[in-house]
Amino acid sequence: MENVIILGTGCAGFTAGIYTARANLEPLILEGDLPGGQLTTTSEVENFPGFPEGIDGFMLMDNLRKQAARFGSRFESALIDRVDFSEERKILYAGEKSFEARTVIIATGAGPRLLGIPGEKEMYGGKGVTTCATCDGAFYRDMDVVVVGGGDSACEESLFLTRFCSKVTLVHRRDELRASRIMAERTLAHEKIEVIWDSAVEEVLADEDGKAKAITIRNLKNQETSRVSCKGVFIAIGHVPNTKPFEGVLELDDNGYLVPEQNSMVRSSVPGVYVAGDCADHAYRQAITAAGMGCQAAIEAERWLAEKE
Ligand code: NAP
């Protein structure tokens, strides 16, 4: 039986690996279908402390992996689809295969919800379509961009982008924002933001270099289509946490995020099971906050194991 199994190899998972490995717990880190997590799909990370010139997302994750491995973390590919946390010995299943552990750190991350329209995948990550203004906004200085969505994220992204971009067009499928009142009011009052209501984005159009140059939209009330020129398309229609295997086992909120115990960022309702990173955080979703939660979860796991001895 393992001391610690860590699910996920994003910032949270690797940081938990570094800490539990340095505590001589020889953690086993299980890698899902996106090794290195969301950051491996980002070109440059400029906001992770310690890298004044920024760092390539893939390189950052490779460094974290090496750091976790250096202290004795072990890695295995396995997509966990079912868990049994009913006994002190926790069992995790990946199809026919099973793993057993005394403690589990769940750091399975979340994926941005996408529109599923032509051009979106082709231009995603570096060619004009992105899901993170905090990460990529500065690359669109003095350019026109589009934000898709009507929630707090879309408003927050739009407001953030006004710092760099000449114009931000917010495209929303209804005639009213879902965002909190204060965010909506700020967004609607901003002189650089124009809102196009009742409209669905149907396609992202590419220029001759394969980079975004415009979107086509359809007005859902009168079915008219039109085109909006833009160099960047920021999709902010929510995130989908990777928490399916824990449904019915751990507490999830209405959006599927794992809910930690009160007075804790990382303790789940099952003793010895901890949550870290984007699968349990809909508010911040930053690499550094995920790393922080990974560290907290590792320290909690270490203390829990020490108490049991
Ligand atoms: P959200 O509240 O679920 O909003 C998603 C938005 O995207 C909605 O306006 C929705 O339209 C739209 N949408 C969903 N699927 C779509 C599709 N296929 N095509 C077009 N539009 C689509 O997600 P969120 O904005 O990421 O926020 C998630 C949670 O985090 C919320 O609880 C939010 O309050 C919180 N949050 C808070 C802050 C803050 O307080 N600073 C910042 C960010 C997020 P409809 O409105 O028509 O459903």
Side-chain angles (χ1 to χ4, degrees), residues 113-115 148-154 156 172-174 176 178 183 236-239 255 282-283 285:
R113 185 174 287 128
L114 293 175
L115 291 162
V148 188
D152 278 321
S153 294
E156 196 168 63
H172 183 36
R173 63 183 177 184
R174 291 188 296 128
E176 147 183 64
R178 173 180 295 279
M183 293 293 279
I237 58 171
H239 276 74
N255 296 312
H282 61 78
R285 296 194 299 245

Side-chain angles (χ1 to χ4, degrees), residues 154-166:
C155 290
E156 196 168 63
E157 304 260 290
S158 299
L159 289 164
F160 182 79
L161 288 166
T162 59
R163 298 186 202 175
F164 312 100
C165 305
S166 25

Side-chain angles (χ1 to χ4, degrees), residues 12 16 53 63 68 108 165 194 211 230 253 283-284:
E53 306 302 325
N63 285 346
T108 45
C165 305
E194 182 194 341
K211 293 185 175 170
C230 58
D253 71 11
Y284 304 109

Side-chain angles (χ1 to χ4, degrees), residues 21 24 27 56 61 68 84-85 91-92 103 120 124 127 139 144 159 163 176 179 182 217 229 264 294 302:
N24 283 339
D56 176 80
M61 299 319 294
D84 182 349
F85 293 159
I91 310 173
L92 304 109
T103 63
E120 179 182 48
Y124 190 77
K127 289 189 170 172
F139 299 124
D144 288 358
L159 289 164
R163 298 186 202 175
E176 147 183 64
I182 188 163
I217 55 175
S229 297
S264 163
E302 185 190 344

Side-chain angles (χ1 to χ4, degrees), residues 253-289:
D253 71 11
D254 291 345
N255 296 312
Y257 288 91
L258 288 158
V259 181
E261 288 281 87
Q262 265 188 344
N263 305 323
S264 163
M265 293 278 286
V266 297
R267 247 177 269 142
S268 82
S269 49
V270 175
V273 176
Y274 305 94
V275 299
D278 285 14
C279 62
D281 167 23
H282 61 78
Y284 304 109
R285 296 194 299 245
Q286 298 299 300
I288 189 65
T289 50

Side-chain angles (χ1 to χ4, degrees), residues 15 29 32 59 80 95 124 149 156 204 219 222 249 272 295 307:
T15 305
I29 306 183
M59 196 175 283
I80 296 302
Y124 190 77
E156 196 168 63
V204 185
N219 183 301
N222 60 22
V249 179
C295 163
E307 267 171 33

